Amino acid sequence: MGLHADYQMELDAIRQAFGYDFLALALVEPAEQQYVIRWKYATGNLNERFRRIVLKSGKGIAGMVFKTGKPVFIPSVRDYVAASSLFNYPIVQSEKLESLGAVPIWNDSRVSGVLLGGFREEDLMTPDLMFALEQAARHGIGELDGKEVASQ
């Protein structure tokens, strides 16, 4: 089976449990001078475009979550993002997301990935679903342990 199948199976299970239209995991990769973030695994995706998205720290939803280590909650993309700046959120465009949340996934006390759950209708992402997404991330996914603080 291997690691790829584990990540994919876990994402499928989380998506099924909470009913997200789309669920994706972005992982951080070392690049020449800095880190880049790429969407590696997804379930409920409309196409494979997500695989071509490469973000720098602070850019796009995954980049913001990675940089700050804090969740992003967007109950309505229309209210949160001006139409003229939608191009800054390629995952929102390529997957036609209208409501979403993204949370950091920690590993060895560092943000190593971003878990994004979304819907293709407005206002479906709720505080309860955000909490569920955060709990899933804290539990760890694949080889990422989900631990924010290294245990002594």
Side-chain angles (χ1 to χ4, degrees), residues 7 25-27 105-107 112-113 137 139-147:
Y7 280 114
L25 176 65
L27 297 175
I105 297 188
W106 297 79
N107 191 53
S112 295
H139 182 261
I141 293 181
E143 63 185 1
L144 305 176
D145 62 26
K147 303 292 181 274

Side-chain angles (χ1 to χ4, degrees), residues 20-24 43-50 53 61 74-78 81 86 89-100 116-124:
Y20 301 110
D21 289 338
F22 175 74
L23 187 70
T43 176
N45 45 304
L46 296 174
N47 53 55
E48 295 293 311
R49 261 185 254 154
F50 72 92
I53 298 171
I61 291 164
I74 304 176
S76 167
V77 167
R78 194 178 324 161
V81 182
L86 257 181
Y89 304 92
I91 197 76
V92 169
Q93 283 191 298
S94 71
E95 289 298 326
K96 299 181 174 26
L97 301 177
E98 296 291 338
S99 178
L100 62 109
L116 181 145
F119 295 95
R120 295 188 178 95
E121 286 178 53
E122 280 190 295
D123 300 318
L124 291 183

Side-chain angles (χ1 to χ4, degrees), residues 4 7-8 11 24-29 37-42 48 50-51 53 114:
H4 175 74
Y7 280 114
Q8 196 63 53
L11 287 183
L25 176 65
L27 297 175
V28 176
E29 299 178 347
I37 301 119
R38 291 184 109 105
W39 296 104
K40 288 292 200 183
Y41 303 98
E48 295 293 311
F50 72 92
R51 295 186 190 284
I53 298 171
V114 175

Side-chain angles (χ1 to χ4, degrees), residues 29-36 56:
E29 299 178 347
E32 278 299 305
Q33 298 298 317
Q34 59 198 353
Y35 291 99
V36 295
K56 290 184 172 60

